[in-house]
Amino acid sequence: MHPFLIENHFELKYQRLTKEQLEELHQEFINFLATQSITADEWNEIKINKPHVAEEEIDVFSDLVWEKVLNKAQYLEHFSKDQIHLIEMGEDQMYLIAIKVNDESIDLMTREGYDWLRDNLLNEEVVFYNASKGYGDDKNLDKFKLLQQGANITKGELYHYFDRLIENKGE
């Protein structure tokens, strides 16, 4: 029996990749199995005879993928009907810029609502907030929780735009 395939009871830290995500990362998964000296034939045998071991392998791979993604994630955005949260993931803490629209007829989740915001940044119904917060025990887990709440990883263009806007507004 393959030495790594002894029942380890791996505990998934993040979330198992979906079937579609695994298919997209097919070659990376093959490389992952190869690092453990698991051949294609052995993998097929494991899937058939030890499906729980196969699931653990997929979970280990999923966590490795999430770690890589989360390590690279520097900016997150979260849109809701009346707010936009823009987050920069600094080395020691997160920096938040929040934009809130106090007009219930505006829905920032729509193109029209977003265009209204862009054209009315100085409107009294638009309020900006800044905050910073330290990480908990696990920086990547903090990032992952924000993703689970609906945030998306971005390149930070909106964050930097509003950061400059707020800076200039204060002058």
Side-chain angles (χ1 to χ4, degrees):
M1 187 60 174
H2 197 280
F4 187 76
L5 301 179
I6 299 167
E7 312 227 0
N8 290 334
H9 299 294
F10 176 79
E11 190 170 325
L12 186 65
K13 182 175 180 182
Y14 299 111
Q15 174 180 317
R16 181 179 294 172
L17 297 173
T18 64
K19 184 178 181 198
E20 292 78 17
Q21 290 168 325
L22 284 168
E23 285 170 6
E24 284 286 317
L25 297 168
H26 180 74
Q27 188 58 51
E28 288 84 350
F29 186 64
I30 290 170
N31 295 342
F32 165 76
L33 292 174
T35 63
Q36 299 176 68
S37 303
I38 299 173
T39 66
D41 289 340
E42 287 174 319
W43 177 243
N44 287 329
E45 186 182 317
I46 291 165
K47 287 192 301 186
I48 294 166
N49 298 324
K50 293 194 171 225
H52 60 286
V53 173
E55 287 184 14
E56 279 195 1
E57 289 295 319
I58 292 169
D59 287 350
V60 170
F61 178 71
S62 295
D63 273 355
L64 290 172
V65 169
W66 276 113
E67 279 292 331
K68 188 174 182 180
V69 167
L70 295 168
N71 281 335
K72 289 182 179 180
Q74 292 183 300
Y75 297 94
L76 301 177
E77 293 177 2
H78 185 272
F79 281 72
S80 64
K81 181 184 180 309
D82 63 343
Q83 292 186 49
I84 300 174
H85 289 172
L86 307 170
I87 304 165
E88 180 179 34
M89 311 305 287
E91 191 60 39
D92 300 319
Q93 57 186 337
M94 301 177 248
Y95 302 95
L96 168 71
I97 296 173
I99 302 105
K100 181 166 177 28
V101 175
N102 292 321
D103 180 338
E104 290 187 23
S105 69
I106 306 298
D107 182 350
L108 297 172
M109 303 280 287
T110 65
R111 184 50 153 171
E112 297 80 18
Y114 185 78
D115 289 346
W116 180 92
L117 174 65
R118 189 189 62 224
D119 297 337
N120 292 280
L121 289 173
L122 300 178
N123 186 301
E124 64 186 30
E125 299 297 326
V126 178
V127 182
F128 293 90
Y129 301 94
N130 290 46
S132 61
K133 177 183 171 186
Y135 295 107
D137 293 337
D138 188 328
K139 181 177 174 177
N140 281 349
L141 200 51
D142 289 348
K143 292 179 186 182
F144 184 74
K145 287 176 183 172
L146 291 169
L147 291 175
Q148 283 187 309
Q149 294 167 12
N152 294 301
I153 297 170
T154 69
K155 294 181 180 173
E157 291 99 344
L158 265 184
Y159 180 91
H160 288 292
Y161 173 80
F162 281 104
D163 189 41
R164 284 189 300 274
L165 185 74
I166 291 168
E167 231 176 67
N168 292 335
K169 199 175 179 184
E171 292 176 359

